[in-house]
Amino acid sequence: MQSAPGTAAGRTGGKWWPLAAVTLGNFLLLVDVTIVNTALPRIADGLHASFTSLQWVMDIYALALAALLMVAGSAADLFGRRRLYVAGLTLFALASLACGLAPDAGLLVAARAVQGVGAAAMFATNTPLLMAAYQGRDRGVAFGVWGGTSGAAAAIGPVLGGVLTEYADWRAIFLVNLPLTAVAVWITLRWVRESHGDLARPRTNSVTTNSVKRNPAALIDWPGAASFTACAGALTYGLMRGGEQGWTERGTLVSLVGAALALLVFLVVERRVRRPLLDLGLLRRPSFAVLMAAALLLQAAAFPYLTFVGLWVQNVLGLSPVQAGLAVTPMALMSLLVGALGGRHLQRVAPQLPVGVGLLLVGAGALLQYALLGDGAGWAALVPGLAVSGLGIGTAMPVLVSAALGAAPPQRAGMASGAVNTFRQLGYALGIALLGTVFADALHGLGPGASREAVGAGYVTGLTHIMLISGVVALAAGLLVLAVVRRGGDDADRAGQAGGGDRGAGADGAAGAASARAGAAAGV
């Protein structure tokens, strides 16, 4: 007779199956952030996609992931982590199929957005599921494996995308998800037990409890989620449209004004709702606020420009997709190496040092690439800067999330973890949009008849501009962290934040801390 998940026989006979299910899903969602990079030129040729469409193919996935991550965590606590994880895997698989079959760029972008929704459900649930599945030493082993595979995803993504694009077709980078997600769903249903968070056990009076049982979704901050999503989407669209149509163009202005209004609505909602997605009181803590800014700026400065590097090495230097993937791996490999070997030791240092110094190294790496890249340069000119930036990422990432947890009260640990991951993904999305406008401006005026030398010069100009911006932003963020962030956060504010529960209490808070220690080296 087959043992049910969670029974003694089932748990003993399949001890590490929950880890396999969660790690596989996490690997897939992280790989799909970067696997598209090396396929972009082939996508452009196959779908006759514009540069802006290529930006959206990259950006919409990270944007949906960022916008829905916090609300997905609340929904998982309420309806069940395993249930939402399986739903996320299923949606991710269906969207991957739609991406692989997309006949035009518009449908590909739409399918990538749905992929991001599924990824948000997967990302929000994987660490709580591990916390529920393992205890003691097994928990440490589980998070170590989970974190290692997360870091590997950053290194493998561009190379895997290149291999599939070169030896199969660009559509294969999406279709490969189908059998893997099917395996993850089967393992999850067979071996992973269900768990819920504090939202499923509201500490209220009997009248409120009964009303919640009749309408459990009322516990989720839907107005906050809607206004945050509208703000992020309108801002990203406005940045892209401004680079393409001009900053005084009507559509650009409407988008940017709409983003500002949506942000205002979000702030008002979060001050009034009982269970906010983000307790705005946390942002009154200087250390926490600066760490949120650091999370956003680190992602914006360290990773988005690699998208445009991939276009340069293929469209100008003539590298194959596989070679293009290998050309940008020094950053990911160095980050993985430093995070794996030094992550445990970095946790013992005052958090402002690894985060701040890491950001300074990211900035130095970008500026080194700016200095070495010029007309006639080859891909090898990127290697020293990528290695230095990877050193910075490996130094900062393992500490960033745990530092944010340390800057928040213990009962807000889950909220803090969700917020810092949201800001990280939002930074990537906004970085693609903003740096893309700078890069596109450098290529403006290069028509179909432009010489190869002119095209190459335009690419190099665009890359050096965005590397300069990335370097300066990372340096400024690093100096800000070193000046403001302190170990243990802002103790003077703790008393004012101590009251009230949220979904970050208890196991969720521990899950955030464990995932921060084990998996933050994953990069994007």
Side-chain angles (χ1 to χ4, degrees):
M1 179 174 169
Q2 192 177 33
S3 298
T7 65
R11 296 282 293 148
T12 302
K15 178 179 179 180
W16 298 113
W17 283 113
L19 173 62
V22 171
T23 298
L24 180 56
N26 189 59
F27 180 84
L28 288 173
L29 77 90
L30 290 175
V31 161
D32 267 57
V33 177
T34 57
I35 197 172
V36 181
N37 284 15
T38 46
L40 288 178
R42 300 287 179 89
I43 293 174
D45 292 340
L47 300 182
H48 306 290
S50 66
F51 179 78
T52 300
S53 295
L54 295 181
Q55 281 184 275
W56 276 114
V57 169
M58 289 295 302
D59 222 7
I60 196 67
Y61 179 83
L63 184 60
L65 179 56
L68 298 175
L69 188 56
M70 289 189 289
V71 72
S74 296
D77 287 349
L78 182 60
F79 298 110
R81 279 81 172 260
R82 187 183 77 153
R83 182 177 299 166
L84 194 71
Y85 184 62
V86 170
L89 283 167
T90 304
L91 187 62
F92 185 85
L94 293 174
S96 297
L97 177 61
C99 288
L101 300 178
D104 56 57
L107 288 177
L108 177 58
V109 170
R112 283 282 283 174
V114 179
Q115 236 192 349
V117 176
M122 295 156 62
F123 199 21
T125 51
N126 54 31
T127 52
L129 285 173
L130 287 182
M131 289 295 296
Y134 300 103
Q135 303 294 328
R137 181 175 296 178
D138 287 348
R139 181 177 290 175
V141 173
F143 274 104
V145 173
W146 178 85
T149 55
S150 297
I156 291 174
V159 179
L160 180 60
V163 170
L164 291 173
T165 300
E166 185 168 347
Y167 295 108
D169 186 75
W170 67 262
R171 298 179 185 275
I173 67 175
F174 301 113
L175 297 178
V176 73
N177 291 332
L178 300 179
L180 297 176
T181 49
V183 171
V185 168
W186 181 83
I187 298 174
T188 302
L189 293 175
R190 173 66 181 85
W191 293 107
V192 179
R193 61 185 179 183
E194 187 59 277
S195 64
H196 295 79
D198 282 352
L199 280 182
R201 302 180 296 275
R203 295 182 292 274
T204 57
N205 59 49
S206 59
V207 175
T208 305
T209 301
N210 290 333
S211 65
V212 167
K213 288 181 179 179
R214 290 193 299 269
N215 184 23
L219 287 173
I220 298 177
D221 179 15
W222 296 114
S227 54
F228 182 79
T229 302
C231 175
L235 179 59
T236 303
Y237 179 77
L239 291 175
M240 288 190 185
R241 189 177 179 92
E244 183 180 19
Q245 302 291 337
W247 297 105
T248 59
E249 190 263 340
R250 181 178 179 182
T252 301
L253 294 176
V254 169
S255 298
L256 296 178
V257 171
L261 292 176
L263 177 60
L264 180 61
V265 171
F266 176 75
L267 296 177
V268 172
V269 168
E270 297 308 279
R271 289 178 63 89
R272 296 186 177 184
V273 297
R274 186 173 183 182
R275 292 179 180 269
L277 290 180
L278 178 61
D279 183 352
L280 298 181
L282 292 174
L283 296 179
R284 291 197 292 269
R285 295 165 165 258
S287 289
F288 185 84
V290 168
L291 286 169
M292 293 303 101
L296 187 146
L297 295 176
L298 175 57
Q299 293 290 127
F303 300 107
Y305 72 84
L306 297 181
T307 299
F308 310 107
V309 168
L311 293 174
W312 172 63
V313 297
Q314 291 187 70
N315 291 343
V316 176
L317 300 186
L319 268 61
S320 70
V322 173
Q323 293 171 327
L326 291 172
V328 297
T329 53
M331 174 190 284
L333 293 176
M334 181 64 76
S335 172
L336 178 60
L337 181 65
V338 173
L341 297 180
R344 179 178 301 179
H345 303 290
L346 291 171
Q347 297 293 334
R348 303 170 185 169
V349 182
Q352 70 270 22
L353 294 179
V355 176
V357 172
L359 276 162
L360 293 179
L361 288 171
V362 169
L367 293 179
L368 182 58
Q369 291 177 82
Y370 165 77
L372 295 178
L373 193 62
D375 292 338
W379 66 267
L382 301 170
V383 173
L386 288 173
V388 173
S389 291
L391 176 62
I393 294 165
T395 302
M397 281 292 186
V399 183
L400 180 60
V401 185
S402 56
L405 296 178
Q411 69 272 16
R412 291 290 192 262
M415 181 180 288
S417 177
V420 71
N421 284 319
T422 295
F423 275 79
R424 284 173 58 193
Q425 297 301 327
L426 185 60
Y428 183 79
L430 294 178
I432 290 283
L434 185 58
L435 295 181
T437 64
V438 176
F439 187 77
D441 185 65
L443 300 181
H444 184 70
L446 293 176
S451 67
R452 185 174 183 83
E453 291 75 15
V455 172
Y459 270 81
V460 169
T461 299
L463 286 176
T464 53
H465 286 172
I466 63 178
M467 287 170 181
L468 177 61
I469 293 171
S470 297
V472 171
V473 166
L475 290 178
L479 293 174
L480 183 63
V481 168
L482 292 174
V484 176
V485 176
R486 294 294 178 265
R487 181 189 289 274
D490 309 292
D491 295 331
D493 295 333
R494 285 188 182 274
Q497 297 292 337
D502 65 73
R503 74 175 189 91
D508 286 345
S515 66
R517 288 192 299 269
V524 296

